[in-house]
Every structure is written in C-alpha cells, then in structure tokens.
Amino acid sequence: MDSDGECSSPTASAAGLLHLFGPPLPQPESLEEKLRRVSEENRRLASALDAILAADRSKPRRALATSPPAQQGNAPLTHAAVGVTAEPRPRLRTVRARAEPADADANHLKDGYQWRKYGQKVTRDNPYPRAYFRCAYAPSCPVKKKVQRSADDNLMLVATYEGEHNHEQRAQSEYVNDASTSQQQHQAGSSSSRPCSIISINSLGRTITLGLADQRQPGSSSNAEAVVVGEIVTPELRKVLVDELVSLLKNDSEFIESLASAVADRVMERIPAARHIF
DNA sequence: CGTTTTTGACCAGCGC
DNA sequence: GCGCTGGTCAAAAACG
C-alpha cells in the first residue's frame, strides 16, 4: 500500500507538465468538494451503522458483555460513529470487515495471526454460523476470536477478539493492540517522505483515518480534511479499505483531474528556482 | 502421518 | 428446576 504514498509518480509529473503549457487549471476547490462528498457519504454510512449497533445493543446479551455507555464519555465521536466497541474490562474488540468475494463462503478474517478453529455454532439472532478461533501461535496465548457474518450484510464479517496476545508476532508488528503501537502504525501508513495520503490511528489504535494531504501548502493545516473510514486493526483490513478507496478514486475522472491540478501547482512552485539554472 | 477442520455432545449461565 | 442459548470439548474426517 505504500506505493500509493508517493506523490512523484510519472503520471503526476506528466500532468504537472501538461498544466505548465495548458490553460489555467481548474481550481482546487473540486478536490475539496470531492473530499467533502466522501466525508458526507462516510457520515451517512456511519450513522446507518450506528443505528444498527444501537439496535444490536438493545438486545439482551449473555456471554458477550457490551461496553457500558458511560465509557464512551471521553472517546472521540468518531468511535461511536464507526461502531467501535472498546470494552474496558474484558479485552473485547469488535472488528467489522467486508469479505473478499473469493472468500464469500469462508468465515476467515486474516489479521496476521495464526488461528486454530475449535468450534462453530449457529446462533439465535444470526442465520450465519459463528466460528470460534484460538490463537495457534503459542499454546499459552489466551486470545480468542469469534467470526460471524453480519445478518444484515453477508459480505460483512464481524470478528470479536477477546484477550491479549502474550507473545510477539513475527511476520508483522502487533496490530490489534493498544496505543503503544499507534505511533508505529502512523509511520507505517506514511513510509514515504512525501506521502499523498494520510493514514493515522487514534490514541487507542482502533480507528484509522484516511485522508488526502493537500501538498500545495505543506505548512498549512487548513486542508487536512480527514475522512474517518472506520475501525482498522489489521493490515488486511487497511488494505481492503485503501484498495477500495484507490479503486473509487482511480475511476473518478474528476478526482484525477483535481489531483493532476494539485500536482501541477506543486511543480509550478518549484519552477522559478529551476529557472535560475537556465 | 501429522496437522487442521468439522461437528455433535456436553457444560455453564441466565431467565422464567 | 427446566429450558434455552452460547461456548467448549473431543473424536472423526479431511487435508497436505
């Protein structure tokens, strides 16, 4: 995904050169409009999800404790909006992710850990079976997860993690843990020196924010309009969302045009310095 | 043949 | 106490 973080792609440069010899470029407002529209769409989805979760919480629960409402007091609004359930006492985390079409009939949610399935059960309020997994990396690791398809959307996988890993994850860093990793995650999301996209994770490491950094004014924060995408705890989930975002934006000629304009502006900024050479 | 998955049985908690 | 439900166990089957 890091490959999407480079601004200086040949395409962008070409667009910038075209702009040099072309008519006045379209105003960058279109890019901001685009962001606003995505934000608005995200807000609509978030509120819909919130309604679903609110209905879900109103149902009686037994083994799966729900988070006390008061706990959300100091949490950012986006947490509730994207349906993050951050249980304080038993370490329960709920992750919702859209399943790949290829895995349409599988109940697997890849998250970088190795899991061993030890049971499956059809629950009362969901026609889809719930699969029970234990961490298979270390026998003593107490972490369990439950994966079940959403009753509303069978392409949506809902995974509930319980407990914390008491071992290192070799292949990748710990993605499902707390604030201690948020800094690394931030770095990982913007490994390039000049990232076009911003991927940040909040203090709890449970909400990812995807945004488009306006490179025209590096020092300016006014353009940092972020799009909160949802709860991300695994690289695969991040990749799914980023891929989806990239695919959406790639097919949007308006966005491409705006992006080209923004890159052109950057090139224009550097041209005067280059003129001294000639 | 070792490991993983499947699946029916069993157990515990909760509400009535 | 009984029934319902979610969670776990463990033997059998499947797989590489």
Side-chain angles (χ1 to χ4, degrees):
Chain A
M1 85 174 99
D2 285 342
S3 60
D4 298 325
E6 276 296 339
C7 278
S8 55
S9 70
T11 328
S13 302
L17 290 174
L18 280 176
H19 166 60
L20 284 179
F21 302 103
L25 59 145
Q27 292 306 302
E29 269 71 28
S30 56
L31 178 58
E32 292 180 3
E33 271 178 32
K34 184 75 190 173
L35 286 171
R36 254 193 292 277
R37 209 174 55 203
V38 175
S39 299
E40 182 58 32
E41 190 175 354
N42 177 65
R43 266 193 291 275
R44 282 205 313 273
L45 290 171
S47 59
L49 182 57
D50 199 23
I52 292 170
L53 287 165
D56 191 50
R57 280 192 204 96
S58 67
K59 293 177 186 174
R61 284 279 189 275
R62 271 181 220 202
L64 237 175
T66 55
S67 56
Q71 198 271 338
Q72 307 283 349
N74 54 356
L77 188 60
T78 52
H79 271 202
V82 298
V84 174
T85 54
E87 271 73 9
R89 265 162 258 163
R91 301 282 305 178
L92 290 175
R93 302 180 193 85
T94 302
V95 177
R96 298 170 70 90
R98 189 160 288 277
E100 296 284 346
D103 301 332
D105 54 354
N107 244 15
H108 287 265
L109 190 62
K110 296 173 189 170
D111 54 12
Y113 284 94
Q114 192 176 355
W115 299 95
R116 177 191 177 88
K117 187 176 182 179
Y118 66 90
Q120 180 168 309
K121 195 88 175 178
V122 176
T123 56
R124 201 172 60 92
D125 52 352
N126 194 326
Y128 302 102
R130 174 183 296 168
Y132 299 89
F133 297 89
R134 249 192 282 264
C135 181
Y137 182 84
S140 60
C141 182
V143 179
K144 297 172 190 172
K145 80 169 177 180
K146 294 174 279 191
V147 180
Q148 187 173 31
R149 291 183 177 274
S150 168
D152 305 314
D153 182 357
N154 69 339
L155 285 181
M156 188 69 76
L157 286 176
V158 181
T160 304
Y161 293 84
E162 183 180 344
E164 292 195 66
H165 295 277
N166 57 7
H167 55 85
E168 299 269 337
Q169 187 185 28
R170 295 292 163 85
Q172 295 150 332
S173 57
E174 187 90 12
Y175 291 101
V176 194
N177 266 353
D178 294 293
S180 58
T181 57
S182 62
Q183 297 302 320
Q184 315 168 269
Q185 295 290 339
H186 190 104
Q187 296 296 330
S190 56
S191 60
S192 308
S193 56
R194 288 182 179 275
C196 286
S197 60
I198 297 173
I199 300 180
S200 66
I201 293 185
N202 75 343
S203 59
L204 291 172
R206 290 173 187 149
T207 301
I208 192 168
T209 301
L210 295 182
L212 295 174
D214 190 333
Q215 298 287 309
R216 289 175 300 126
Q217 298 174 347
S220 166
S221 62
S222 61
N223 292 312
E225 180 174 359
V227 183
V228 176
V229 173
E231 177 188 16
I232 298 299
V233 292
T234 72
E236 285 77 12
L237 298 188
R238 275 203 302 272
K239 186 175 188 316
V240 166
L241 280 169
V242 171
D243 285 348
E244 206 165 317
L245 183 66
V246 168
S247 142
L248 272 174
L249 295 180
K250 259 194 317 196
N251 296 326
D252 194 318
S253 57
E254 187 185 348
F255 171 77
I256 295 296
E257 189 179 352
S258 303
L259 181 63
S261 299
V263 172
D265 279 354
R266 288 284 293 173
V267 173
M268 281 295 279
E269 281 178 10
R270 298 182 176 207
I271 287 298
R275 270 190 194 142
H276 287 94
I277 300 173
F278 303 108

